[in-house]
Amino acid sequence: MPMKNKILIANRGEIALRVIRAAKELGIETVAVYSLADEQSLHVKLADEAICIGGHRSKDSYLNMNSVLSAAISTGCNAIHPGYGFLSENSEFVEMVERCQIQFIGPNSKTIAMIGDKSSARAIAKSCGVPIVEGSDGILEDADSGLKIAKKIGYPVMIKASSGGGGRGIAIVRSDDEFLSAFERTSLEAETSFGDKSLYIEKFIESPRHIEIQIIADKSGNVVHLFERDCSMQRRNQKMIEETPSPILNELLRRKIGNAAIKLAKAINYVNAGTMEFLVDSKGNFYFIEMNTRIQVEHPITEAITGIDLVKEQIRIAYGKELSFKQRDVKINGHAIECRINAEDPMKGFMPTPGKIENILFPGGIGIRLDTHIYPGYEVPPFYDSMIAKLIVHAPTRKEAIKKMRVALEQFVIEGISTNIEYQYLIMHNPDFIKGQYDTGFIARFNTLVEAESRE
Ligand code: ADP
Ligand code: ADP
Ligand code: MG
């Protein structure tokens, strides 16, 4: 008798719900884990079972590897879905999962250690002939040798944490004078946030677009890319709005970047869903910056235009099934945009606004998708990421998608706490955004504008 499939979800919030839904559709049981702060969370209620794994702070619960693993073993799970963030890219955790003969829904620990480390990923990409940003060969030995490399490359440069993520552990340096203090600061931030202070240097690309390619690969060696996502709308190197297809890619460039991503995925025998991130400069040159070896926050826009359920595919692949489609089967259908809805106050420097949600009106209609874990009466805890919902629209054209997003944002009401809904609504009316003319510096410039107007 084959063992019954059962998945532990090592995450919280909307992504935990996303995985529960996919598993249920596949007829697979789920186990939720939660912290003391999340007792009233929807993932706890919607999973077949739920286990408390510790205290409020992430390090006492969602980042506690032994607690998560014990929960999986004691409930008889044969697979773990990590979602994004938390332990999703932690090779030590994945190795522990493997040793317990539990299937990790993602690549293996060796792959994660190799390509998840950003400095090592650069070396691998380079050896495969995939262009990378000019920078240091490997991690910096110390501040002085870093300074020499920065001088050689020429300012501005970026100092980046090799284990960094979520836009943290990155500093831009514009001169020799700034270098040493930026090095110390970033090293400390990397140490405290990621437990690894290794740093590397990249030339700072002026006003780039962030273009990433969704990859999916099975255990039989089939690798397919599901086109790009343009994630250039960022605040402090953290994505805020994503869309696909990218307004700046033509067919040729789309094919080139897609092929580069496939080449890299094949070179490392990649299995499961992953994303290769690239920067594209104003001349159309593209450079690999990192790979995320997990499902991404913005995966729904790819699902919208391809009609493929990425999380169900992830689960199927982990259980040994082959991809149900070939490269030639996947086509771009229409246009999709995602707005990240955060519990934060854009008028107060995007300060997080945890607290009780008194009431909600959800948007709806054709081509609208809302991935969220909030409900009226829900209390947003102060301990985790401030993202509380993802609003995704899908329409035949980009113009129609923008109009749909405006209406959806207008009809999305959250009472009790401040959110960035109105701010997103303003961006949907910005002439440059509407023209598709924006780069990773857009939001910083937009904020200066909004602040000036609010002072008038
Ligand atoms: P994505 O890369 O999926 O677009 P983000 O960069 O916003 O999304 O990251 C998703 C979540 O994961 C955020 O909560 C972010 O803080 C967290 N995260 C991403 N990478 C790491 C990492 N290396 N270590 C810790 N947290 C991370
Ligand atoms: P994270 O792991 O935090 O996602 P990334 O390496 O993906 O870090 O970089 C996050 C963002 O920072 C990019 O999307 C881009 O906007 C900016 N960035 C990173 N490297 C560079 C660079 N060399 N030049 C200009 N911008 C960069
Ligand atoms: Mg990134």
Side-chain angles (χ1 to χ4, degrees):
M1 265 289 277
M3 189 161 118
K4 200 169 78 179
N5 288 337
K6 193 170 177 184
I7 299 174
L8 179 123
I9 299 153
N11 217 301
R12 63 180 300 282
E14 68 84 21
I15 195 64
L17 293 191
R18 173 73 186 87
V19 179
I20 291 171
R21 286 175 180 142
K24 272 190 194 287
E25 286 179 35
L26 291 169
I28 300 174
E29 279 183 36
T30 54
V31 177
V33 294
Y34 63 97
S35 70
L36 287 174
D38 277 340
E39 276 175 325
Q40 299 305 320
S41 234
L42 265 190
H43 74 287
V44 176
K45 298 184 176 127
L46 296 186
D48 296 302
E49 289 168 61
I51 292 196
C52 182
I53 49 163
H56 301 65
R57 285 173 306 176
S58 302
K59 76 170 178 48
D60 298 327
S61 47
Y62 300 106
L63 288 175
N64 186 330
M65 302 191 227
N66 286 317
S67 292
V68 174
L69 208 48
S70 305
I73 294 166
S74 64
T75 53
C77 288
N78 64 359
I80 295 182
H81 196 299
Y84 51 71
F86 297 124
L87 298 171
S88 62
E89 296 184 272
N90 188 313
S91 60
E92 189 189 334
F93 173 67
V94 180
E95 207 184 314
M96 283 165 66
V97 173
E98 288 164 355
R99 265 192 263 123
C100 294
Q101 284 170 12
I102 294 175
Q103 181 61 54
F104 182 73
I105 303 177
N108 65 39
S109 58
K110 288 200 181 73
T111 305
I112 297 177
M114 208 169 60
I115 202 82
D117 179 90
K118 293 160 84 170
S119 172
S120 139
R122 275 167 58 78
I124 297 168
K126 194 175 172 186
S127 71
C128 299
V130 171
I132 57 171
V133 184
E134 185 188 357
S136 56
D137 285 327
I139 58 166
L140 305 175
E141 271 167 39
D142 50 32
D144 286 334
S145 61
L147 183 62
K148 277 193 199 114
I149 296 168
K151 271 185 201 294
K152 199 174 126 218
I153 298 169
Y155 294 100
V157 299
M158 269 186 152
I159 302 181
K160 298 172 72 172
S162 208
S163 302
R168 283 169 308 143
I170 298 181
I172 170 162
V173 184
R174 299 193 177 274
S175 70
D176 278 354
D177 299 344
E178 292 173 20
F179 191 89
L180 293 177
S181 65
F183 183 96
E184 294 307 332
R185 210 177 345 107
T186 315
S187 169
L188 191 70
E189 189 186 356
E191 173 91 84
T192 45
S193 306
F194 313 113
D196 168 20
K197 59 179 189 213
S198 341
L199 303 176
Y200 65 104
I201 292 184
E202 267 176 13
K203 174 104 189 143
F204 177 71
I205 313 264
E206 297 284 351
S207 316
R209 297 285 285 223
H210 171 117
I211 305 284
E212 59 184 37
I213 306 287
Q214 176 69 54
I215 289 287
I216 186 126
D218 62 24
K219 292 176 180 172
S220 310
N222 300 301
V223 187
V224 172
H225 79 77
L226 302 179
F227 309 104
E228 79 278 7
R229 291 183 289 256
D230 193 321
C231 312
S232 308
M233 292 297 256
Q234 303 179 352
R235 177 175 167 267
R236 297 195 176 160
N237 306 318
Q238 166 85 283
K239 299 158 192 169
M240 216 161 114
I241 298 171
E242 305 92 351
E243 64 175 314
T244 183
S246 166
I248 62 148
L249 289 198
N250 55 36
E251 263 321 302
L252 180 66
L253 196 50
R254 173 168 296 121
R255 208 163 337 114
K256 276 193 190 163
I257 304 182
N259 287 341
I262 294 261
K263 187 155 81 173
L264 191 51
K266 284 191 170 157
I268 57 172
N269 295 317
Y270 194 79
V271 174
N272 219 296
T275 298
M276 316 279 186
E277 297 191 334
F278 297 86
L279 294 181
V280 178
D281 70 16
S282 49
K283 298 193 192 85
N285 299 307
F286 65 92
Y287 310 91
F288 169 83
I289 51 168
E290 68 152 341
M291 176 166 192
N292 292 320
T293 57
R294 55 170 166 85
I295 193 78
Q296 278 189 271
V297 173
E298 57 276 20
H299 76 275
I301 57 172
T302 299
E303 298 184 320
I305 61 147
T306 60
I308 291 168
D309 185 318
L310 276 164
V311 178
K312 279 205 304 208
E313 287 298 326
Q314 279 196 295
I315 296 172
R316 292 182 64 257
I317 290 167
Y319 283 123
K321 299 263 187 350
E322 279 195 31
L323 279 178
S324 53
F325 47 85
K326 298 257 179 288
Q327 188 69 59
R328 62 172 180 278
D329 302 327
V330 291
K331 301 261 165 5
I332 299 178
N333 171 27
H335 197 95
I337 305 175
E338 171 181 276
C339 284
R340 296 191 187 192
I341 307 303
N342 299 330
E344 64 190 13
D345 189 345
M347 298 317 283
K348 290 187 183 146
F350 295 86
M351 186 181 73
T353 53
K356 189 169 179 187
I357 294 178
E358 300 294 346
N359 204 6
I360 311 177
L361 278 178
F362 288 125
I366 185 168
I368 305 277
R369 169 174 173 182
L370 190 66
D371 279 19
T372 184
H373 57 289
I374 62 171
Y375 55 85
Y378 175 72
E379 190 142 349
V380 180
F383 309 102
Y384 317 106
D385 204 272
S386 60
M387 193 178 77
I388 51 170
K390 306 190 306 202
L391 178 56
I392 301 109
V393 300
H394 182 212
T397 63
R398 184 170 188 271
K399 200 168 154 197
E400 287 163 284
I402 293 174
K403 287 190 181 164
K404 200 179 270 296
M405 184 62 90
R406 290 179 187 165
V407 176
L409 287 165
E410 217 170 78
Q411 298 184 350
F412 194 175
V413 181
I414 299 179
E415 285 171 356
I417 59 167
S418 292
T419 72
N420 64 342
I421 291 178
E422 252 183 74
Y423 185 87
Q424 295 281 26
Y425 184 80
L426 282 180
I427 291 183
M428 289 300 132
H429 290 79
N430 177 276
D432 290 329
F433 177 74
I434 293 165
K435 279 183 265 176
Q437 289 169 2
Y438 59 88
D439 57 59
T440 56
F442 177 96
I443 295 206
R445 295 190 296 271
F446 187 73
N447 285 342
T448 321
L449 215 80
V450 173
E451 275 161 23
E453 269 172 22
S454 71
R455 271 196 302 271
E456 272 168 18

